[in-house]
Each structure stands twice: as C-alpha cells, then as structure tokens.
Amino acid sequence: MSYTLTLKTRSLCEFTMNLERLPNEEKLSLCRKYYLGGFALLPFLWLVNVVWFFKEAFVKPPFTEQTQIKTYVKRSGMGLLFWVTVLTTWITIYQHFRAQWGELGDNLSFTIPLGTP
Amino acid sequence: MDFLTNKWIAYLALCLFFTGVCCNSVENKIYIKLNYTMPCVRLLNATHQIGCQSSLSGDVGVLHVLESEENLDWVLHTGLHPPYMVILESPLFTRSIMMKLKNGSSRVAGVAVVAPSVNPPQGFSPHTSCPNENSGVYSENYGPGLAHCNTTVWNPLGNGLSYEEFDFPIFSLKDDNDTQLIRQCYVDHNRPVNGSDPQYPLCAMQLFSHMSAVTNTATCMRRNSISFSISPEGVCDPLSDLNIWAPAKPLNTTEKGHKVGESVVLATARLDSRSFFSDIGPGAESAASGIVTLLAAAHALRNATQEAQLDRTIFYTFFHGETFDYIGSSRIVYDMEKNQFPIDLDNVHSVLEIGQVGLHSSSALWLHTDPVSRRNSSTDEEVKNLIHNLQAAAAGLNVSVEEPGVTQPLPPSSFQRFLRARPFPGVVIEDHNSSFTNKYYQSMFDNTDNLNMLYPPNLTPEEQLNHVTDAAKSLAEVATMVARALFVQAGGEASQTSSIKADELMVSRMLYSFLVSSNNSWLQDFATAETVSHLSNKTANFYISVEQQISLPTFLVQSLLVNLTGSTVNVTQEDCRNQRENKDDKDSKHLYSYTWVQGAAPPNSTEREGFCVRSTVRWSKAISPAFELNDYTSSNYSTWTESRWKEIKGRIFLVASHDLEMLTLGVGIGVLLTSLLLTYIISSKADMLFSSGREPTTATY
C-alpha cells in the first residue's frame, strides 16, 4: 500500500511541472505565457517568471530557446521593478497623508483601523 | 478502526480539556481582575476630541502610588521603570498634576483615581469655568459685552479637566478591597526602601479602554456610514436621550404646530449632569435639585389646575443633555420652529426655569433675567410681572427672593436657547447671585453630602426613604413658591394660592430615589414594569449617554411625572396599553397618555395590583438638530458624540525584568531551533539510525 502511495506522489510531482524535466520548447512557451499574463495587471506573474526562469535564462549552458527566455525574463524583471516602484511610492504617500486627506482618505480606504486618525 | 478513532478523539478531548483548565487557572494565578472600574471615555464634537483612551491591547505600567505633588518627579524623571501607572488619591486629582502627567505622557501608562468617601472641602469641578460658553445666547451679535463670561465667571472652581484630551486611560476606583490590594501590592514590591531602587518583580497594572472614534464628530460620523468595508462597524454615536414634558391641561399632541388661542407658561428644569468619569454623574445640586423642585411643584398644582379654569397652560418640561451645549432645549426650539411639536414658539408666553436651587438655605434665591431682551419695554414689563408673581409667592413662605444686578447676564440655562430664537420674558431661579454656590459643579462629588441630605445614623433603607430631611424641607418651600407663582402666572387668582403646597415627604422620597437608591418600595409601587427593570440600589447617573440607552433619571422623571400629575382611571390593562379608555375610544390617545403602573401588593398578598394612570406626560427625542441636518460641523447646535469601545477592564499582576523576559524568549527560540536541527539531522540519517531491517509495517491508513 505504501509503495503505491510513493508512486502516486512521484507522478503527481511530475505533473506539477518540474522545470528540469520539461522540454525546452515548452519552457519557452511557459515563460512567454507568464510574461504576457503579467500585462493583465498581474505583477506577481512577472515575479514568478523571474524567480522561476532565472536559472534557465542566465545560468544554464546555452540552448536554442535561451535567448528568447532571457528577453522575457528581463522584461518581466523590468515590469516587476516598475510595479514595485509605483506601489511603494503610492503606499508611502497614502500612509503618510491619509489622515490629512480627511474624507478622501477615508473613501480611499478599505478598512480603517479603529481609533486611528 | 472505529474504536481507534474514538480512542484518539477521547484523548484529544481530554488534552484540550486539561489545556483549557490549566490556562484558565494560569491566567487567574497571574492576573487579579479589578471589579469596579469606571473609565473616562472619549467624546467628540465639531472640532475636538476629549477624554481618554488606551491602546488596543491595554496600557501596562508599573504601579506608583503618588503621595504628593513633589513625588511626581519620580514618575516623570527619576524612576527607573517607566512607564508608570499612577494611582492618585483624590486630593491630588488636580489640574496641575493631571497636566504634568499629560505632558510627560511617554512615561505615564495611565492613571487610576481613588474616589474618596468625603468630599474635598476646597471644592472641585472638572467642568469649564464658563459652561456652554459658545452655545448660549450671548455672542458677538447678542450682548457682546456679556459673552464668554466677561462679566460673571459662573464656575470659578472649574478647572476644565473634563474637556481635556488624554492619550492614556484614566479610571476611577472605589475605595474598597481592590484599592487596598493595589496599595498592598505597591508597598510590597514597588516602594523604594531607604533610597534604594525597587527590585523586580514589580507590581504592574493594565487598563483597557480603547476608543474606536477619533479626531472629531464629522470624521466619526463619516466612518459610521462607510458601507463597503467587510465588517461595517459604527465608531461613535450622538449623545441622545429623551425630553420629558407634560402640559397641565390636555393638549392634542398628534396635531403639530401652532395651537390657535393657546398660551403656555413653560416651567423647565434640566435633566442631566456629568462628571469626569462617564459612569458617575450624581448631579445632586446641578440637576436633581431642579428636577425634584419642578416635580413637586407639578404635584402641588395638580388639583388647582384642574379645578380653576386658567387662561394659560402650564407646560412642564425636562430638558436632557443641557450639559453638552443644550441638546434638549435646542431640539425642542428646533421642533417648535419646524412645526414638529404640539405647540410652536408663538404659543409660548413666558419661561420659568428652575436651575440649581438645592443650596439656598444659607441665603436667598436669585431670579436671573436677561438684560438684553429686557431693553425692550414690553418684554421688560412681562419679566417684571413674572418677578412680581414670584416675590408675592415667596412672601408667605420661608424663602426670600432677590434680583441680581441688572447688567448681569443669564447663568448657563436652557432659557438661553429660547432667547436665541426670539426675546421671551423669562426668569431663571438659582441659589446663587453671581458665581455658583455649588462647589462641585458637574463632578463626582455633587452628591447627597453636597446637598446636606443628612440622615440620622442607623436608619434602615425603608426608614431613610420616609425620613424628611432638612434639604427636602427647604426644597419643598421652593417648590411651593414655584407652584404658586406658576399658578398666578397662568392666570390664577392670587387668593386661591394658599391651598397650593408641596409635599415635604414626597420631596424627600424623590431626593432619596434620585440620589441614594431608586430601587425602593415607594417608587416600585407606581413604576411601570419597564422602569422597574432599570431601578438600581445606586445613585442615579445623570450622564446623558448615547441613543441606545435611556438614562435612569429619564425613566424616573417620566414615572414620577405620570403619577404626580395624572389620575387613576378604571381601564383594563389591555385598553391602557392601547392608549384608550374603552374599545371604541379613538380620540383619547390624542389628548392623554395611558400608563399601566404595577401598583402595590395588598397586605396579605404578594401579587401586585396594577392600575392605569391617565396623564398628559409625553416624551420627545433629545438629539441635537445637527444630527437631523447632518451638519456635523455646526456651530449653532451641539455636535457631541461618544466613541464606542469594545472592552473596559483593569487588572494587576507582577512583571519580571526586561532582561529576564528577553532571556526566556531567547531560550525558547534556542530550544525551537535546536529541535528543528535535531529533526533534520535525524531524518537525514534515518537510514542509518533506524536500519532495523524490518519490513515497513502495513499501516491501515
């Protein structure tokens, strides 16, 4: 019984994409999907893309699709950086000025911690 | 299998049970909960927040019992273990000490004030020296020289503490076992002995009074109405209660607006008071003296007004929330202007207000009038007439009435809100010429002692209830004078007034009910079932509080007024509840209100025999018009709101030194890391360690 269980787990692992075992064409298409998906205001996809494909793009010995993967990873990285800057700036401004903005600040807030200005 | 699971569940339940029990008892071993905690809470108006608050998780500080003002240095500068939780004996609860603590608040975690059993002889009033300074009639446009108490400072003892903002919790403690425990804990652990610093563990106290609302009323009302948050939660509520009123003659109250041919004499008193702490508001002199006088006068006038056909109707009115920028009176004036009240301002002939009258025994009563409106000769004529009636009424009695100087403005009074609308003739009766006689204006010391309500020792509660105190006798005199003056003012014959007399015993019982214990046999007999559930053995709290709560004095005044001015009618309980005299009666409810009173039990029975009382007593909402108009920055109307809170509590416990706490935490983290490391090593070397050569067991799961 335990033997079958191990087998099952193993196949499950393979199913949930071990990047190592994926053919290079599929790697490229996956990277591309994540890159394009990021434009739908989903910077987290770019983050995942960068983390996931960093090794493939810059560390692994060269292979045919690597140049394209490199481009996607770089662009994802840029997009991510852009988002991080924008969000950090906005959050800083918002946290700093929310109380001063009064009504506007309250309307912009989803929850207001009780007992804070 | 089943058996196994059951066994496991049983084990688990047992474990949880033990953890539950042990945690509970650990908590009890660490903390001692304080039973009697009266907080100061946060109130907000158009521009400010006042009051106190703790952080969300409660403020913790090392206990320090302050012995003198010099001792503050320890708290604010030299003490080694800040922040401190300062225990103040009430003589030290002064403005100078509180402001020093406020300014050094980084070293102050909170303050607990021990209420004394004896009033401070030098007087104490946490209210401002010029109460309701900006909401009365006097302003730049109306008697500019009289505005802002320029000529008379009404409450010179007022230190304004109630209107300060503190960013730490302040609680009041009763002088009882808890306080004794706190002192003992301080002496045992925290007191520096022979100049050496106290050693850990130290005695500490934690106070919880986190307030949800912040900044001002506009902000908190806005946040009340923000609806898209996950859990919409109110943060503050407008101060609100009920105004109680009763015309001496039935008026159609369903029809609002002007009543043709009706002319009323308003006889008013204020229904509220406050103190620094929201749960304490004894208001003996500042509210109860006037209320009881007016109730007794209404009772004295019951028969006289029914027998004689008077030209004018006496209209008894009790305004709530007057302490907070005249909530009640401004609302009634607003309703009259907007035709939402059974009478309008044109129907009002004159106003007689009964202010603080409980301390007149040493001197005369003073008839305060408004010098600005009296410049008009016709108003002046009416005022003189009213003063004459009062003087004539006082002549046959043991009271003397006098007029203050003609240039003196009105003291803080509901009548000022009527004058803001238009010049009415009116008089405010007070026991002071210029500044208040009351040394404890709107403080926790404005109690029976302040009114000199003295009972002989060793009386049972029942005997106290029926004992006529000197304070009651003198108030009954005032009530008789007020009743006779009102009778003449309403057009009655001066010769008939001799039969009008206030009942001393009733005055004494009313004072007892308001100031000592409302849960007494006298009140129970004529209270409604609803009122009975609110009666308590403690002094009534005259603080107005928020909309959801009707204050006890409101219930008492309503019950008393119903029974003192109404008459018993032979109506079934069902008809009484439905506001009718019989099944076909559809008109009476416009004129009368019917109240089912639970009545007394006959001598040989425990079952109370209820009856129906027909009266003209009604209530209307006492909520500031600012909340009707959604104008939360109004300068015309009161904008006071009270913050909501989740938890008010206090507890004491011993704290270990910071180093020891850090050490414990460090060891804990160390143990955790070691165990993780060990697990990792063991699991990575599992093949070596557990190579017993056995076949893997075929588990059932």
Side-chain angles (χ1 to χ4, degrees):
Chain A
M1 184 127 188
S2 63
Y3 179 65
T4 47
L5 197 78
T6 359
L7 263 184
K8 256 187 193 166
T9 349
R10 197 165 284 165
S11 59
L12 204 77
C13 274
E14 275 160 21
F15 182 71
T16 54
M17 292 202 250
N18 192 335
L19 217 51
E20 298 295 317
R21 287 153 202 267
L22 225 56
N24 284 341
E25 311 87 73
E26 278 186 43
K27 278 183 200 165
L28 177 62
S29 96
L30 199 64
C31 184
R32 190 185 149 75
K33 273 182 198 157
Y34 270 73
Y35 166 67
L36 291 177
F39 284 104
L41 304 181
L42 297 169
F44 265 94
L45 286 189
W46 284 339
L47 174 69
V48 170
N49 211 10
V50 170
V51 172
W52 218 6
F53 284 98
F54 188 79
K55 264 190 188 168
E56 301 289 331
F58 298 105
V59 183
K60 284 275 174 70
F63 52 94
T64 336
E65 290 85 359
Q66 198 182 34
T67 32
Q68 270 181 292
I69 292 184
K70 237 183 215 169
T71 328
Y72 289 140
V73 170
K74 272 184 191 162
R75 286 184 186 171
S76 297
M78 303 265 276
L80 181 66
L81 199 70
F82 169 75
W83 270 95
V84 167
T85 333
V86 168
L87 285 180
T88 320
T89 320
W90 165 243
I91 291 167
T92 318
I93 293 172
Y94 168 78
Q95 292 293 351
H96 198 261
F97 292 103
R98 184 179 59 82
Q100 289 176 34
W101 287 340
E103 185 166 3
L104 178 71
D106 282 2
N107 288 335
L108 284 175
S109 309
F110 188 61
T111 49
I112 303 162
L114 294 177
T116 53
Chain B
M1 171 86 182
D2 263 347
F3 172 71
L4 253 175
T5 1
N6 282 347
K7 205 170 150 191
W8 275 109
I9 289 173
Y11 271 131
L12 203 68
L14 204 68
C15 282
L16 280 177
F17 176 71
F18 272 115
T19 14
V21 168
C22 89
C23 288
N24 228 337
S25 77
V26 167
E27 190 186 348
N28 288 340
K29 275 179 185 152
I30 296 175
Y31 298 110
I32 299 171
K33 223 173 155 275
L34 302 176
N35 297 320
Y36 177 91
T37 43
M38 304 258 175
C40 131
V41 302
R42 173 172 287 169
L43 302 178
L44 309 103
N45 70 4
T47 51
H48 285 77
Q49 55 177 5
I50 61 165
C52 325
Q53 83 153 352
S54 76
S55 62
L56 189 58
S57 51
D59 285 0
V60 184
V62 172
L63 277 181
H64 183 79
V65 177
L66 201 68
E67 278 144 13
S68 65
E69 188 154 358
E70 292 75 59
N71 200 217
L72 263 183
D73 194 46
W74 177 265
V75 174
L76 297 177
H77 304 292
T78 52
L80 294 174
H81 314 292
Y84 284 100
M85 191 63 82
V86 185
I87 310 292
L88 282 181
E89 301 291 340
S90 91
L92 296 173
F93 184 49
T94 60
R95 183 175 177 89
S96 86
I97 290 187
M98 289 310 290
M99 293 319 278
K100 279 179 193 165
L101 290 173
K102 181 183 168 177
N103 295 331
S105 61
S106 62
R107 285 177 64 96
V108 180
V111 173
V113 182
V114 181
S117 44
V118 188
N119 290 352
Q122 75 280 13
F124 175 81
S125 171
H127 210 85
T128 53
S129 56
C130 187
N132 289 352
E133 184 178 344
N134 299 314
S135 50
V137 67
Y138 302 107
S139 67
E140 278 60 44
N141 309 323
Y142 191 97
L146 308 172
H148 307 294
C149 295
N150 268 347
T151 48
T152 315
V153 177
W154 295 108
N155 188 26
L157 288 165
N159 58 27
L161 270 186
S162 287
Y163 293 86
E164 287 294 335
E165 209 254 318
F166 297 94
D167 55 3
F168 48 78
I170 304 178
F171 278 53
S172 165
L173 304 172
K174 208 160 45 178
D175 205 351
D176 61 0
N177 291 347
D178 277 354
T179 346
Q180 212 47 50
L181 199 75
I182 291 171
R183 286 201 188 97
Q184 195 56 47
C185 194
Y186 168 74
V187 170
D188 291 349
H189 297 278
N190 298 9
R191 183 141 72 181
V193 190
N194 312 328
S196 68
D197 293 321
Q199 297 297 313
Y200 281 109
L202 293 172
C203 195
M205 180 149 79
Q206 187 173 27
L207 297 178
F208 295 81
S209 66
H210 181 255
M211 297 291 144
S212 304
V214 78
T215 314
N216 54 35
T217 292
T219 304
C220 81
M221 291 304 284
R222 183 174 70 228
R223 289 182 185 181
N224 276 346
S225 59
I226 288 179
S227 53
F228 59 77
S229 120
I230 320 169
S231 52
E233 191 172 18
V235 291
C236 69
D237 301 288
L239 294 185
S240 158
D241 211 285
L242 305 177
N243 289 323
I244 306 290
W245 45 270
K249 176 185 92 183
L251 282 179
N252 188 335
T253 50
T254 320
E255 280 173 21
K256 311 289 183 194
H258 187 71
K259 289 269 184 300
V260 180
E262 196 66 54
S263 171
V264 306
V265 178
L266 285 182
T268 74
R270 68 157 63 186
L271 233 169
D272 80 314
S273 176
R274 71 171 298 207
S275 82
F276 188 80
F277 303 100
S278 70
D279 292 343
I280 313 172
E285 159 77 344
S286 57
S289 67
I291 296 171
V292 168
T293 306
L294 187 55
L295 285 171
H299 180 234
L301 280 168
R302 172 165 64 179
N303 293 334
T305 48
Q306 277 164 7
E307 284 158 12
Q309 286 297 317
L310 301 177
D311 307 338
R312 303 192 185 103
T313 309
I314 304 169
F315 205 97
Y316 309 109
T317 325
F318 296 86
F319 297 119
H320 220 305
E322 297 300 277
T323 304
F324 295 98
D325 295 334
Y326 305 118
I327 294 173
S329 52
S330 64
R331 181 54 193 260
I332 280 198
V333 171
Y334 173 84
D335 283 349
M336 285 183 179
E337 283 172 337
K338 297 273 179 268
N339 289 333
Q340 286 165 7
F341 200 71
I343 56 169
D344 72 355
L345 289 172
D346 293 330
N347 290 123
V348 177
H349 172 260
S350 51
V351 180
L352 177 61
E353 175 164 348
I354 300 153
Q356 310 185 72
V357 290
L359 298 172
H360 80 282
S361 48
S362 50
S363 63
L365 283 172
W366 297 85
L367 308 178
H368 294 263
T369 52
D370 171 42
V372 181
S373 59
R374 284 184 75 177
R375 284 180 206 149
N376 177 319
S377 61
S378 67
T379 312
D380 188 43
E381 203 56 41
E382 291 287 351
V383 173
K384 277 186 179 148
N385 193 22
L386 180 52
I387 290 175
H388 170 76
N389 288 339
L390 283 158
Q391 281 167 338
L397 296 165
N398 198 10
V399 279
S400 61
V401 289
E402 287 177 49
E403 281 182 81
V406 281
T407 54
Q408 185 172 271
L410 282 172
S413 51
S414 317
F415 179 43
Q416 291 198 19
R417 292 302 302 201
F418 284 84
L419 287 174
R420 270 175 86 122
R422 63 174 77 165
F424 289 101
V427 167
V428 180
I429 306 178
E430 300 271 357
D431 59 15
H432 53 87
N433 177 6
S434 54
S435 51
F436 295 159
T437 324
N438 189 358
K439 285 194 290 181
Y440 309 105
Y441 185 71
Q442 304 204 328
S443 77
M444 57 176 158
F445 307 113
D446 191 1
N447 50 22
T448 50
D449 291 351
N450 186 23
L451 270 192
N452 298 318
M453 249 175 79
L454 304 172
Y455 293 100
N458 308 326
L459 286 192
T460 63
E462 197 62 29
E463 286 166 343
Q464 285 190 346
L465 174 66
N466 295 316
H467 177 81
V468 180
T469 58
D470 290 339
K473 282 180 191 160
S474 77
L475 272 189
E477 289 280 293
V478 182
T480 308
M481 179 198 80
V482 168
R484 290 179 181 176
L486 281 173
F487 185 72
V488 179
Q489 180 72 10
E493 284 292 322
S495 56
Q496 292 173 358
T497 56
S498 55
S499 62
I500 299 172
K501 195 158 174 23
D503 184 347
E504 285 177 356
L505 177 62
M506 187 159 287
V507 171
S508 198
R509 281 170 166 176
M510 285 196 278
L511 284 175
Y512 180 87
S513 302
F514 280 109
L515 303 176
V516 182
S517 159
S518 53
N519 195 8
N520 59 59
S521 57
W522 179 67
L523 210 52
Q524 278 166 359
D525 286 354
F526 58 72
T528 60
E530 195 199 358
T531 306
V532 167
S533 63
H534 290 89
L535 298 184
S536 89
N537 290 323
K538 288 186 289 191
T539 309
N541 179 8
F542 281 86
Y543 170 58
I544 175 172
S545 184
V546 294
E547 217 169 351
Q548 294 82 351
Q549 280 168 295
I550 305 299
S551 70
L552 177 62
T554 312
F555 280 115
L556 296 185
V557 166
Q558 193 174 15
S559 280
L560 287 165
L561 199 57
V562 161
N563 285 279
L564 300 185
T565 62
S567 50
T568 311
V569 283
N570 191 11
V571 169
T572 64
Q573 186 167 0
E574 195 203 338
D575 284 339
C576 195
R577 289 260 149 81
N578 290 320
Q579 305 292 313
R580 61 190 184 196
E581 305 215 345
N582 52 54
K583 282 212 160 38
D584 309 317
D585 178 13
K586 288 197 172 58
D587 301 324
S588 297
K589 67 177 178 194
H590 301 305
L591 296 176
Y592 296 105
S593 76
Y594 294 85
T595 316
W596 186 261
V597 164
Q598 69 169 8
N604 47 10
S605 162
T606 52
E607 194 83 347
R608 289 176 180 274
E609 284 179 359
F611 54 91
C612 189
V613 180
R614 187 180 72 183
S615 69
T616 56
V617 179
R618 308 273 177 171
W619 56 265
S620 60
K621 267 192 181 175
I623 182 169
S624 166
F627 297 99
E628 210 73 357
L629 302 164
N630 294 337
D631 179 11
Y632 306 128
T633 50
S634 171
S635 53
N636 271 333
Y637 296 115
S638 164
T639 49
W640 287 104
T641 48
E642 184 189 86
S643 169
R644 289 195 187 176
W645 59 83
K646 296 249 166 64
E647 189 175 39
I648 299 275
K649 68 172 184 183
R651 56 192 188 181
I652 57 172
F653 54 97
L654 294 178
V655 283
S657 75
H658 195 65
D659 296 346
L660 186 62
E661 280 173 350
M662 284 300 126
L663 186 70
T664 318
L665 183 68
V667 169
I669 293 173
V671 168
L672 177 72
L673 291 179
T674 323
S675 68
L676 285 177
L677 196 68
L678 266 178
T679 322
Y680 176 73
I681 293 170
I682 291 172
S683 82
S684 65
K685 304 278 184 220
D687 295 345
M688 259 159 62
L689 290 169
F690 305 109
S691 59
S692 60
R694 266 195 299 154
E695 283 292 306
T697 48
T698 48
T700 45
Y701 42 83

